[in-house]
Amino acid sequence: MVGTGAVLAGAAALPIARVSPAAASGQPSWLADAVLYQVYPQSFADTDGTGIGDLRGITEHLDHLAWLGVTAIWVNPVYPSPFTDAGYDITDYVGVHPRYGTEDDVATLVEAAKARGIRVLFDLVAGHTSEEHPWFLNSLNDPADSRYVWATPDQLPPDGSLPEDFVASPGPREGAFLKNYYDTQPAINYGYARMHPDEPWRQPVDAEGPRRNREAMREVMDHWLRLGISGFRCDLAATLVKDDPGWVETGELWGEMRAWLGEEHPDAVMIAEWGDPATSVPAGFDGDFFLPVNGPGDGAPWKSLWQDNPYFGADGTGTAKTFVDAWQQTEQTIGRPGHVLLPSANHDGATRLNNGVRKPEEIPAAFAFWLTWPTIPTLYYGEEIGMRLIEGLPDVEGSAGRQRNRTPMQWNDGPNAGFSTAPTDKLYIPQDPDPNRPTVQGQLADPGSLLNLVQRVIALRKRHPELGSAGSARVFHDGYPLTYLRGDRFLVTINPSRNPVSVDVPDDRLAHATPVENSGVRISGRTLAVPGFGYAILDLG
């Protein structure tokens, strides 16, 4: 049987023209070949027995990442913080919280990673600080300070109510400040794109406060780049300038940052947490993620794969067309050397593949797609072994439900799965309680494990540029099985449903194809018969 999608036998390839590193844009080329791995530091590896992961824990496991094929890691915030939002409430942009280690530990991590061909990216949380940051404490005591968005008492409603997202001053400054997320996260002032008589607190983007803040963020970036990190994942990148239709002023702001970076640190990258590469990459970012929010259909490309009636669902009722169309349109808009990054999960709203609905036997097919599609794959820690999403865990440091994605990394079958020597009740977040939980050690010993599959396909991607982000992609079928040709050489077919399906491929080379990875796919002439949860990567020669 043929799946529900259209057979696109006549579809043209979508070649992606690359530019040299010396391209006029000045954007770095290394990101094009990256395999990015997100490290949630407090849950990755604990070396001092506190129950909380640390920088040395990341350094000690770099050999695992190098073996896996990772070329860059994005480390969530390790800055000083009171942790009302797990470190996204910062009190010092150029420091390290003692629970993670020291700045020397950052330098050691960077050097050890570099020796293994791995780059290190940090989070740039430019939109807000903690209410305990010295900037905000100063702002509380100086009514003339415009580092944050403040409304004076005479600018507020006379009935004593507060405008949306404003928080009453904790004193002594009178009035209220604008927050970004939690009440403990005052929004840094980058100005408003337009003025409004009903909101007299608005300042233009070229006011003294916004100019000062842009300069401060450049100083923050410069500090860490001089220490050896290779760039930033930029938190809430779309939200800095307020009331900005079309993100025109926001784009100007990031374009200014990109121009400065190109002059001072030309090998560094900026990756947006925007969720709309078609907007953020032209604004100056080197890449952006498809996420569950923002962009086409408010996250539809990501959700159509993993979440809302997902294509990667056993019932086989989804479609890959939503993703494929959005990806093609985005690529045509951003050109090169911009990039689309595709995660399956993250520390935030993107939940793990092993989510309690999707079974472990379904996950290999997802990776076969994920690592052969011309996006930059972004692995969240533990996804390579199929770590589970765990419901019912206690809230930790403002996790607000997100703790289900933040359980400790599972390294081995020892106490606390090798994450920490601390007593179990002292762990940052409780471990997956399943005695059969997957571990790195256990899967390494099994040639048929998910971990070994991931390693092999990443190695294949590295050996053959046709499978990387630079290669062309020609889609023959966007239903079940998703079937596409990479670089006129590798045919990939993916069936995430439990039902067997088949598809005809208009390429006479298929009959003589060499299977590189094959999970039960049978070839008969120009027909592929793909079992439930089956997949194959075929070399057409």
Side-chain angles (χ1 to χ4, degrees), residues 237-303:
T239 69
L240 300 194
V241 177
K242 308 303 181 185
D243 192 11
D244 186 14
W247 298 282
V248 175
E249 294 294 344
T250 304
E252 290 287 334
L253 184 156
W254 287 114
E256 175 187 305
M257 293 284 194
R258 176 69 256 175
W260 169 81
L261 203 65
E263 290 290 329
E264 299 295 325
H265 302 280
D267 196 44
V269 300
M270 293 193 314
I271 298 172
E273 186 209 22
W274 194 307
D276 186 8
T279 300
S280 58
V281 171
F285 284 96
D286 299 284
D288 186 13
F289 304 92
F290 275 149
L291 292 171
V293 294
N294 299 337
D298 192 27
W302 186 92
K303 288 187 284 193

Side-chain angles (χ1 to χ4, degrees), residues 6 12 33 43 46 53 76 97 123 179 192 205 267 308 351 375 433 471:
D33 301 313
S43 294
D46 167 28
N76 290 103
H97 194 283
D123 250 307
K179 69 175 181 178
Y192 284 76
V205 295
D267 196 44
D308 293 349
T351 55
T375 48

